């Protein structure tokens, strides 16, 4: 029988113990009977999804989980998201991630990063705003830059390669803190774009975002296809351009689920069913990515983080395990791409717990939590895929 493989990614679900949770983490507090049962017959451990010295971003972490060493293949975050939007960079171009963000200057200075997600605009409203910016400061004859609308607050700016030498701070690392503007040789050009965007965005009454924030730049990376690397056909469902871009670059089948939002209200069942349908049809491996746990971490909402974990258990894992059993033998890997501790509201680089389960072969069994795996030696994150596929 052909074995089917699933990679489950609750983005940023790992956390730190909190006094408010009596020393526990959201994973320890959440009611997850299916996950507990899987862990009890599987193998748990710790994965270094973020290689030492690299930024703890979803790009790096998800690249690891898909089985590619970020130290070899990572050239920046924005080019991956650009790939998701079908943008191919010329050798003399770089892509920047362009957030619609809210920077509050009422207290003076460079202002405070009030909301790195600009109030979570709808994709439709955001697209109008980005198109207006492109029309005024990009696009035109002689213009060096172009803006491309993405999803919600996440967009792309393509610029000449020479702009890449600016030092840019990810805006989600600045939540409720002073806005640290780009520095370095090309910073002036970026600052001019960010400043010009304020006037344009002020014309959009229903937009909480008041300027663009540029960061995460890099050139086009070169990634082998998943099939050429691992010898099997893979598919993916995600609402996040960054993760989708990794799927596009590695030539995975990308399944669109209408209700997938990248937010708390995402269509969990739709993602579960997309996995089961693809695995029954044309995929040997399927990646189910859900962003809600990460967004809850950034928002500092422990309630939403716990709820998102419980949704994973009830609305994905329960039906997934049952459905997989009907298809044939299967192996499942579950791991976040990094931790997003809700009290810190940002990503951290420490190793995260992983779970590996085989439908037919029992592992030593364990508990899926940060504490229960804290003493195990971390496995390099990009080696997990090999472990999942080794049978
Ligand atoms: Zn992430």
């Amino acid at each position: 029988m052909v074995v089917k493989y699933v990679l489950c990614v609750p983005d940023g679900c790992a956390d730190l113990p909190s006094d408010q949770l009596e020393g526990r983490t959201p994973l320890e507090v959440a009611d997850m009977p299916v996950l507990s049962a899987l862990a009890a017959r599987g193998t748990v451990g710790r994965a270094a999804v973020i290689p030492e010295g690299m930024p703890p971003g979803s790009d790096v972490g998800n690249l690891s989980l898909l089985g590619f060493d970020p130290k070899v293949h990572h050239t920046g975050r924005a080019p991956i998201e650009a790939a998701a939007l079908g943008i191919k960079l010329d050798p003399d171009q770089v892509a920047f991630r362009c957030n619609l963000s809210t920077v509050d200057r009422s207290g003076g200075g460079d202002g405070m990063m009030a909301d790195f997600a600009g109030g979570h605009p709808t994709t439709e409203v955001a697209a109008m705003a980005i198109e207006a910016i492109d029309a005024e400061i990009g696009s035109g004859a002689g213009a060096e830059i172009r803006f491309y609308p993405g999803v919600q607050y996440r967009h792309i700016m393509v610029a000449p390669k020479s702009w890449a030498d600016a030092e840019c701070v990810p805006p989600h690392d600045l939540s409720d803190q002073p806005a640290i503007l780009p520095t370095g040789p090309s910073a002036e050009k970026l600052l001019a774009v960010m400043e010009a965007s304020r006037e344009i965005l002020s014309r959009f009454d229903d937009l909480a975002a008041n300027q663009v924030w540029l960061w995460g730049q890099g050139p086009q990376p070169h990634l082998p296809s998943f099939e050429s690397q691992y010898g099997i056909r893979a598919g993916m469902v995600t609402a996040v351009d960054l993760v989708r871009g990794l799927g596009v670059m590695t030539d995975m089948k990308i399944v669109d689920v209408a209700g997938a939002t990248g937010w708390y209200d995402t269509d969990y069942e739709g993602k579960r069913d997309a996995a089961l349908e693809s695995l029954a049809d044309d995929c040997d491996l399927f990646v189910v990515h859900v962003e809600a746990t990460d967004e809850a971490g950034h928002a500092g909402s422990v309630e939403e983080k716990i709820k998102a974990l419980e949704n994973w258990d009830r609305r994905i894992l329960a039906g997934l395990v049952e459905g997989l059993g009907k298809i044939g033998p299967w192996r499942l890997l579950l791991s976040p791409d990094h931790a997003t501790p809700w009290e810190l509201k940002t990503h951290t680089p420490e190793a995260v717990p992983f779970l590996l389960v085989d439908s037919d072969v029992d592992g030593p069994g364990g508990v899926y939590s940060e504490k229960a795996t804290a003493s195990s030696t971390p496995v390099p994150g990009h080696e997990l895929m090999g472990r999942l596929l080794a049978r």
Side-chain angles (χ1 to χ4, degrees):
M1 283 287 273
V2 180
V3 183
K4 298 290 180 174
Y5 304 91
V6 190
L7 168 59
C8 294
V9 186
D11 199 296
C13 79
D15 215 298
L16 296 168
S18 162
D19 288 346
Q20 286 189 55
L21 300 175
E22 293 158 340
R24 294 173 298 167
T25 65
L27 269 174
E28 289 173 302
V29 173
D31 180 29
M32 302 184 77
V34 181
L35 181 67
S36 300
L38 290 172
R41 67 178 171 95
T43 303
V44 294
R46 255 191 336 152
V49 281
I50 307 297
E52 213 181 317
M54 293 195 78
S58 294
D59 45 352
V60 175
N62 280 291
L63 197 52
S64 285
L65 291 177
L66 295 182
F68 299 94
D69 186 351
K71 288 205 150 146
V72 176
H73 295 288
H74 186 262
T75 65
R77 172 177 179 128
I80 303 169
E81 291 178 306
L85 297 177
I87 304 163
K88 205 152 166 36
L89 300 171
D90 292 334
D92 61 348
Q93 287 181 321
V94 285
F96 282 79
R97 168 66 175 276
C98 174
N99 277 46
L100 282 176
S101 64
T102 310
V103 177
D104 178 5
R105 286 192 190 160
S106 60
D110 293 332
M112 301 284 286
M113 181 57 70
D115 188 353
F116 71 90
H120 285 269
T122 66
T123 297
E124 292 72 27
V125 170
M128 284 194 278
I130 292 297
E131 277 155 17
I133 292 171
D134 188 59
E136 288 197 34
I137 54 178
S139 246
E144 291 184 290
I145 53 175
R146 290 275 342 238
F147 294 84
Y148 296 87
V151 177
Q152 294 183 342
Y153 62 89
R154 313 174 182 107
H155 310 281
I156 292 293
M157 180 183 86
V158 173
K161 202 174 185 174
S162 63
W163 290 37
D165 58 14
E167 290 279 336
C168 301
V169 182
H172 53 255
D173 286 349
L174 298 171
S175 280
D176 302 327
Q177 293 173 42
I180 301 172
L181 296 172
T183 55
S186 294
E188 237 168 82
K189 289 178 171 169
L190 299 179
L191 292 172
V193 169
M194 286 157 76
E195 197 57 40
S197 73
R198 287 183 76 96
E199 197 276 313
I200 300 166
L201 293 178
S202 70
R203 294 176 221 152
F204 288 81
D205 291 338
D206 45 357
L207 200 64
N210 62 2
Q211 73 164 66
V212 300
W213 190 270
L214 302 167
W215 61 287
Q217 71 270 25
Q220 183 84 24
H222 298 285
L223 271 173
S225 73
F226 187 86
E227 196 164 356
S228 69
Q229 185 88 354
Y230 288 104
I232 57 172
R233 175 93 176 121
M236 166 190 285
V237 65
T238 177
V240 176
D241 273 357
L242 180 67
V243 182
R244 184 190 183 90
L246 292 172
V248 169
M249 286 178 160
T250 55
D251 201 22
M252 290 188 179
K253 170 184 157 184
I254 310 289
V255 179
D256 287 312
V257 170
T261 60
W263 187 238
Y264 306 146
D265 60 357
T266 197
D267 184 356
Y268 288 85
E269 290 85 357
K271 292 190 177 186
R272 173 199 68 200
D273 294 343
L276 289 172
E277 280 160 25
S278 288
L279 290 168
D281 183 19
D282 56 350
C283 290
D284 303 301
L285 179 143
F286 202 85
V287 183
V288 182
H289 174 268
V290 179
E291 180 77 351
T293 32
D294 180 62
E295 293 286 0
H298 285 301
S301 172
V302 70
E303 295 80 14
E304 289 293 351
K305 195 158 186 187
I306 291 167
K307 209 189 286 176
L309 285 167
E310 293 179 345
N311 278 330
W312 254 103
D313 204 75
R314 195 165 46 85
R315 299 171 62 187
I316 296 182
L317 292 176
L320 184 64
V321 169
E322 197 190 326
L324 284 168
K326 290 179 186 156
I327 298 171
W330 53 268
R331 284 168 69 90
L332 179 147
L333 170 65
L334 184 143
S335 173
D337 52 334
H338 53 76
T340 311
W342 65 276
E343 285 183 317
L344 302 180
K345 293 187 179 181
T346 190
H347 302 175
T348 53
E350 69 267 15
V352 297
F354 74 83
L355 165 65
L356 200 54
V357 191
D358 187 305
S359 60
D360 297 353
V361 184
D362 280 349
V367 171
Y368 185 76
S369 76
E370 300 84 349
K371 200 184 294 166
T373 54
S375 61
S376 70
T377 307
V379 177
H382 68 277
E383 291 181 11
L384 285 178
M385 183 55 74
R387 288 203 181 194
L388 172 65
L389 301 182
R391 197 183 203 218

